[in-house]
């Protein structure tokens, strides 16, 4: 069971303006709430809001799978925020194909790249001028996946797109370091979210085991909670991480082998 940490410092991110994609539920909603708890002003986006979407954030409906959609969305976000200091590229999803790699249709490879990789590039490029204008201290945090390091055939398209995101984050960190803008990439493992539950249930049904069996075996004794990822984002977005950039951090309770 997730143990609630000490209350967040409500002033740590005061004055910071954050934009979070995929913030309507799951990991994204937890990130939005944690940034709000730290004192940041937050705009978030998804195709639809849900009951999980933090009410204190400004929600803008949008589609980041196209350049036109991103440009419209980021312009609206900057109008609300007046600038930006923190960008969290969290949006991501994929469908499971139990038939393996050859059963994944061409359009789903393209969709996986658009949503899980290219969307982050589009959002970042659109917001970079505002990040640079804000000066040193900005942070870009990309939410990748442990599937980028240990891909499985039914989700090869998802793992490949997230692996590309990892490489992009490394290169971007090098380029932006002279401007004082930091870049980090987080790789969540088995985190209990609505989207992950659908994927895990598909695997469980195929193997004739329970959903709990799929998420068992984590060395730290439990699957992840969205707040586990949100806490890492809050650290990386804060001045506590002012000398941290270019990192790729796996957060999985010790499930992946050390490589």
């Amino acid at each position: 069971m997730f143990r609630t940490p000490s209350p967040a410092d409500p002033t740590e991110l005061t004055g910071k303006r954050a934009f979070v994609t995929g913030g309507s539920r799951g990991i994204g909603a937890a990130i939005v709430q944690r940034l709000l708890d730290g004192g940041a002003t937050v705009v978030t986006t998804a195709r639809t809001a849900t009951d999980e979407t933090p009410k204190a954030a400004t929600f803008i409906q949008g589609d980041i799978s196209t350049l036109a959609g991103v440009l419209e969305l980021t312009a609206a976000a900057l109008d609300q925020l007046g600038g930006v200091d923190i960008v969290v590229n969290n949006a991501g999803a994929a469908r499971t194909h139990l038939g393996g790699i050859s059963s994944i249709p061409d359009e789903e490879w393209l969709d996986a790249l658009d949503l899980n990789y290219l969307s982050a590039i589009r959002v970042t490029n659109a917001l970079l001028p505002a990040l640079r204008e804000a000066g040193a201290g900005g942070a870009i945090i990309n939410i990748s996946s442990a599937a980028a390091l240990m891909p499985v055939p039914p989700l090869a398209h998802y793992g490949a797109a997230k692996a590309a995101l990892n490489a992009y984050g490394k290169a971007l960190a090098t380029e932006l370091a002279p401007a004082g803008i930091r870049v980090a990439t987080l790789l969540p493992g088995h985190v209990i979210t609505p989207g992950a539950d659908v994927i895990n249930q598909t695997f469980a049904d195929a193997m004739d085991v329970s959903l709990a069996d799929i998420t068992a075996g984590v060395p730290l004794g439990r699957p992840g909670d969205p707040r586990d990822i949100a806490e890492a984002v809050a650290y990386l977005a804060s001045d506590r991480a002012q000398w941290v950039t270019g990192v790729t951090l796996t957060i999985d309770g010790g499930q992946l082998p050390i490589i």
Side-chain angles (χ1 to χ4, degrees), residues 127-217:
L127 293 176
L128 260 179
L131 279 165
R132 290 184 182 277
E133 185 177 343
I140 299 167
I141 302 163
N142 298 320
I143 309 301
S144 179
S145 169
L149 300 183
M150 295 288 286
V152 294
L155 288 170
H157 52 327
Y158 176 73
K162 290 299 192 182
L165 183 62
N166 296 356
Y168 167 70
K170 282 283 189 181
L172 189 65
T174 300
E175 181 169 296
L176 296 183
I181 299 170
R182 297 175 294 103
V183 182
T185 304
L186 300 184
L187 284 68
H190 278 304
V191 177
I192 301 300
T193 68
D197 282 351
V198 170
I199 291 172
N200 288 329
Q201 189 65 61
T202 299
F203 283 123
D205 292 344
M207 293 184 286
D208 196 24
V209 298
S210 71
L211 184 59
D213 290 331
I214 294 294
T215 56

Side-chain angles (χ1 to χ4, degrees), residues 17-227:
R17 300 155 297 181
F19 179 70
V20 181
T21 67
S24 65
R25 62 177 189 166
I27 290 174
I31 291 170
V32 170
Q33 187 59 58
R34 182 60 182 80
L35 295 176
L36 289 167
D37 291 344
T41 302
V42 184
V43 168
T44 189
T45 184
R47 290 179 177 174
T48 57
T50 74
D51 291 341
E52 284 186 60
T53 309
K55 301 300 185 289
T58 298
F59 177 82
I60 302 175
Q61 184 179 25
D63 180 5
I64 61 171
S65 65
T66 67
L67 178 58
V70 166
L71 293 177
E72 180 180 353
L73 180 59
T74 53
L78 290 174
D79 282 344
Q80 288 286 331
L81 294 169
V84 69
D85 307 283
I86 301 163
V87 177
V88 183
N89 290 306
N90 168 72
R95 267 195 297 275
T96 307
H97 289 270
L98 296 176
I101 295 172
S102 63
S103 71
I104 303 172
D106 185 71
E107 60 269 19
E108 287 203 28
W109 284 95
L110 294 173
D111 286 347
L113 285 171
D114 268 332
L115 181 57
N116 298 291
Y117 171 48
L118 295 176
S119 67
I121 296 176
R122 294 173 183 132
V123 168
T124 300
N125 285 344
L127 293 176
L128 260 179
L131 279 165
R132 290 184 182 277
E133 185 177 343
I140 299 167
I141 302 163
N142 298 320
I143 309 301
S144 179
S145 169
L149 300 183
M150 295 288 286
V152 294
L155 288 170
H157 52 327
Y158 176 73
K162 290 299 192 182
L165 183 62
N166 296 356
Y168 167 70
K170 282 283 189 181
L172 189 65
T174 300
E175 181 169 296
L176 296 183
I181 299 170
R182 297 175 294 103
V183 182
T185 304
L186 300 184
L187 284 68
H190 278 304
V191 177
I192 301 300
T193 68
D197 282 351
V198 170
I199 291 172
N200 288 329
Q201 189 65 61
T202 299
F203 283 123
D205 292 344
M207 293 184 286
D208 196 24
V209 298
S210 71
L211 184 59
D213 290 331
I214 294 294
T215 56
V218 177
L220 282 180
R222 64 170 175 85
D225 184 284
R227 291 168 292 181

Side-chain angles (χ1 to χ4, degrees), residues 3-28:
R3 299 191 303 276
T4 303
S6 301
D9 178 353
T11 65
E12 181 173 52
L13 299 175
T14 296
K16 298 289 187 181
R17 300 155 297 181
F19 179 70
V20 181
T21 67
S24 65
R25 62 177 189 166
I27 290 174

